[in-house]
């Protein structure tokens, strides 16, 4: 059983590395990092393309079947584990936000890509054959730049990564580039960004509505219309996800987690968790660490 949930940075996993980047074929990376089969967090962005293998991988407590041609993306802070059956190979890239941001002028550029939003429905993609071949070629070219450094190598790697990101992002994007996000879509995105920043210290939709200069009723109507959830549910879901992430660490007591998530007392946190999950936090922890 794990003693605690580790948080890995790129340096702690480095085999072939430059700047804030690690690129490798997946099989040797996996062989060198047996500990990554257990739940862990990353402090960096992370992607894997599977070219062969089977089994499953779990991101934030949702499990996905491994299939050749599948690529998945993760953002810092998400909890992840693997369970493979037999030989598994592909490609892996770990990189910091600064590695890409230093190359582009637009702030928070990675947020433009749906697969880096933290939404699992956009983060795991089974590539069509043509896209798979294109992405695999790009990853081979990136590996060549890493293994055989040349002038401007880091910038070449960045440009290849951006080419891959843009191509994959287009797979689910509206083909009519003239269609701009509606006001309500932009409003929802801004609300979700605010929740990500403040879910620990701001718990009520009315306080977010004030930050967005709209009424609570308007905010609630937008959320229900676009995602089928109330404004309050979006806050609670984010709090619940962080509670689950913390519960993977057995060194954190339930009381400590309650305090970190800014609940008034341990009893209130336990009631909140059980109402959402049907089991109390300690039972959830036992189930996760038993697997």
């Amino acid at each position: 059983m794990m003693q605690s949930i580790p948080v890995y940075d790129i340096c702690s996993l480095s085999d072939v590395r430059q700047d804030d980047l690690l690129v490798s074929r997946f099989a040797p990376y996996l062989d060198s990092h047996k500990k990554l089969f257990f739940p862990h967090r990353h402090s960096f962005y992370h992607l894997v393309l599977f070219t062969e293998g089977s089994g499953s991988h779990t991101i934030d407590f949702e499990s996905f079947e491994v299939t050749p041609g599948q690529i998945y993306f993760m953002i810092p802070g998400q909890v992840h584990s693997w369970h493979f059956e037999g030989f598994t190979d592909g490609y892996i890239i770990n990189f910091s936000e600064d590695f890409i941001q230093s190359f582009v002028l637009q702030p928070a550029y990675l947020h433009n890509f749906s697969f880096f939003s933290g939404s699992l429905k956009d983060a795991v993609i089974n590539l069509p054959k043509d896209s798979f071949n294109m992405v695999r070629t790009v990853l081979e070219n990136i590996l060549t730049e890493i293994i055989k450094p040349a002038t401007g190598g880091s910038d070449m790697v960045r440009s290849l990564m951006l080419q891959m990101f843009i191509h994959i992002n287009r797979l689910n994007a509206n083909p009519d580039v003239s269609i701009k996000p509606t006001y309500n879509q932009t409003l929802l995105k801004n609300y979700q960004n605010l929740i990500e920043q403040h879910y620990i210290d701001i718990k009520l939709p009315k306080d977010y509505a004030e930050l967005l200069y709209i009424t609570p009723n308007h905010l609630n109507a937008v959320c229900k219309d676009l995602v089928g959830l109330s404004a309050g549910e979006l806050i609670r879901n984010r709090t619940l996800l962080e509670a689950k992430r913390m519960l993977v660490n057995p060194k954190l007591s339930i009381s400590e987690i309650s305090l970190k998530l800014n609940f008034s007392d341990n009893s209130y946190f336990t009631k909140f968790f059980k109402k959402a999950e049907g089991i109390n936090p300690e039972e959830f922890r036992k189930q996760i660490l038993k697997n």
Side-chain angles (χ1 to χ4, degrees):
M1 179 184 295
M2 292 181 58
Q3 293 306 305
S4 63
I5 180 168
V7 180
Y8 295 115
D9 59 28
I10 294 175
C11 292
S12 67
L13 299 174
S14 294
D15 290 327
V16 179
R17 179 172 61 93
Q18 62 178 51
D19 301 328
D20 293 325
L21 175 74
L22 183 153
V23 184
S24 176
R25 298 190 194 280
F26 192 61
Y29 177 89
L30 195 63
D31 190 57
S32 299
H33 301 96
K34 302 292 189 184
K35 57 192 175 183
L36 297 183
F37 284 91
F38 298 100
H40 59 278
R41 292 179 191 250
H42 302 151
S43 66
F44 48 83
Y45 287 81
H46 165 82
L47 70 90
V48 170
L49 173 71
F50 294 112
T51 57
E52 57 182 301
S54 61
S56 64
H57 61 103
T58 301
I59 305 173
D60 278 340
F61 314 100
E62 185 169 337
S63 185
F64 300 90
E65 182 182 355
V66 171
T67 59
Q70 181 187 95
I71 190 167
Y72 74 80
F73 299 85
M74 287 180 58
I75 62 175
Q78 291 183 298
V79 171
H80 183 47
S81 61
W82 291 315
H83 177 73
F84 298 122
E85 298 171 2
F87 180 74
T88 304
D89 202 5
Y91 304 83
I92 183 168
I93 299 182
N94 297 332
F95 67 98
S96 71
E97 184 165 13
D98 287 345
F99 181 75
I100 294 295
Q101 197 59 54
S102 64
F103 195 58
V104 294
L105 291 175
Q106 184 177 333
Y109 182 75
L110 289 174
H111 298 179
N112 292 326
F113 301 109
S114 59
F115 43 78
F116 284 136
S117 68
S119 170
L120 296 183
K121 67 180 179 63
D122 298 317
V124 181
I125 303 165
N126 293 311
L127 296 171
K129 184 177 180 180
D130 288 349
S131 294
F132 169 72
N133 291 334
M134 176 271 182
V135 169
R136 186 171 190 171
T137 298
V138 169
L139 288 165
E140 279 291 338
N141 291 338
I142 290 173
L143 269 176
T144 298
E145 291 292 333
I146 296 296
I147 295 169
K148 300 179 180 179
T151 302
S154 291
D155 286 346
M156 180 61 78
V157 169
R158 291 180 178 95
S159 66
L160 288 166
M161 288 172 63
L162 292 175
Q163 177 186 348
M164 176 175 61
F165 294 166
I166 291 168
H167 176 85
I168 294 172
N169 203 52
R170 285 176 174 176
L171 295 177
N172 295 323
N174 193 312
D176 187 348
V177 295
S178 66
I179 297 178
K180 303 296 183 183
T182 66
Y183 169 75
N184 280 350
Q185 288 170 333
T186 301
L187 186 63
L188 174 65
K189 183 64 177 176
N190 290 339
Y191 178 49
Q192 291 170 322
N193 289 340
L194 284 173
I195 291 174
E196 191 62 32
Q197 297 171 39
H198 298 291
Y199 67 92
I200 290 177
D201 55 289
I202 301 179
K203 302 292 188 183
L204 299 177
K206 68 180 183 65
D207 294 325
Y208 287 96
E210 185 175 343
L211 292 173
L212 292 165
Y213 301 101
I214 60 173
T215 67
N217 285 343
H218 184 186
L219 177 60
N220 203 48
V222 167
C223 292
K224 286 188 173 181
D225 181 49
L226 294 181
V227 294
L229 299 171
S230 70
E233 283 176 298
L234 290 179
I235 303 169
R236 291 190 291 274
N237 286 349
R238 182 61 185 88
T239 303
L240 179 67
L241 173 59
E242 198 61 29
K244 289 179 176 179
R245 290 174 175 176
M246 291 183 180
L247 284 164
V248 180
N249 181 357
K251 289 186 175 181
L252 280 177
S253 70
I254 304 301
S255 295
E256 287 173 319
I257 294 172
S258 173
L259 184 63
K260 286 177 180 291
L261 292 175
N262 202 24
F263 282 86
S264 56
D265 57 58
N266 183 39
S267 174
Y268 179 37
F269 169 64
T270 298
K271 289 178 181 176
F272 163 84
F273 192 93
K274 188 169 184 178
K275 182 177 180 181
E277 288 296 299
I279 56 176
N280 66 42
E282 195 61 53
E283 290 170 330
F284 175 85
R285 167 176 278 167
K286 289 177 181 177
Q287 287 184 6
I288 291 296
L289 295 182
K290 180 177 62 176
N291 294 334

